[in-house]
Amino acid sequence: MTEKHLLIVAHAPSDNTRRLVEAVLEGARHPEVSGVNVSWKPPLEAQPDDVLKADAIILGTTENLGYMSGALKDFFDRCYYPVLEQKQGLPCALYIRAGLDGTGTRRAVQSIVTGLRWEWVQEPVVFKGDWQEDFVAQAQELGLTMAAGLEAGIF
């Protein structure tokens, strides 16, 4: 069996958003999941080749003025056409750290992902309002779910 690659492209400009990325990584690297290589790239560092090597992707962003982070938008701007034809059907998931409700951010990311023809494996996770410690467990669950599903061949 060949190893699968789970790519996490997540913007983490604060201590709490960094905790979310670390929690997703921890969940995805759960000891009971094998055969899945997990890597995190900040959006400004992620390249089309990273996406082309991925078997699944988790996107993470802050809600900035009711939109995705500029860093994630930059990632999409640079990677959209180079991956469009080759990565249709790429399993993906999204989490949003939202001070408000995340609606505009969600809509914007979903619009781009629809254009890429990537496949949602679950509804986006929106961490709304003031920081809650439960966000960490939810982020771990997202990472674990994606890695385990990839390992099992569900997506």
Side-chain angles (χ1 to χ4, degrees), residues 5-63:
H5 299 280
L6 173 57
L7 175 63
I8 300 163
V9 176
H11 185 55
S14 68
D15 290 342
N16 284 337
T17 53
R18 181 63 186 229
R19 287 179 70 194
L20 291 175
V21 170
E22 290 168 356
V24 170
L25 287 166
E26 183 180 337
R29 293 176 175 152
H30 192 281
E32 291 185 20
V33 176
S34 61
V36 178
N37 178 12
V38 181
S39 63
W40 167 50
K41 293 276 186 159
L44 295 174
E45 295 176 22
Q47 300 298 319
D49 281 347
D50 297 313
V51 179
L52 291 171
K53 293 174 189 171
D55 296 297
I57 190 168
I58 297 174
L59 304 165
T61 186
T62 51
E63 176 184 60

Side-chain angles (χ1 to χ4, degrees), residues 98-124:
L100 299 173
D101 68 1
T103 301
T105 306
R106 178 181 178 158
R107 187 176 320 126
V109 174
Q110 286 179 316
S111 176
I112 293 170
V113 166
T114 296
L116 286 164
R117 297 180 193 96
W118 292 355
E119 296 293 328
W120 293 107
V121 300
Q122 70 174 58
E123 287 294 313

Side-chain angles (χ1 to χ4, degrees), residues 65-80:
L65 304 171
Y67 196 71
M68 74 184 87
S69 70
L72 189 63
K73 178 63 168 77
D74 176 79
F75 162 76
F76 283 130
D77 287 346
R78 288 180 295 102
C79 295
Y80 190 93

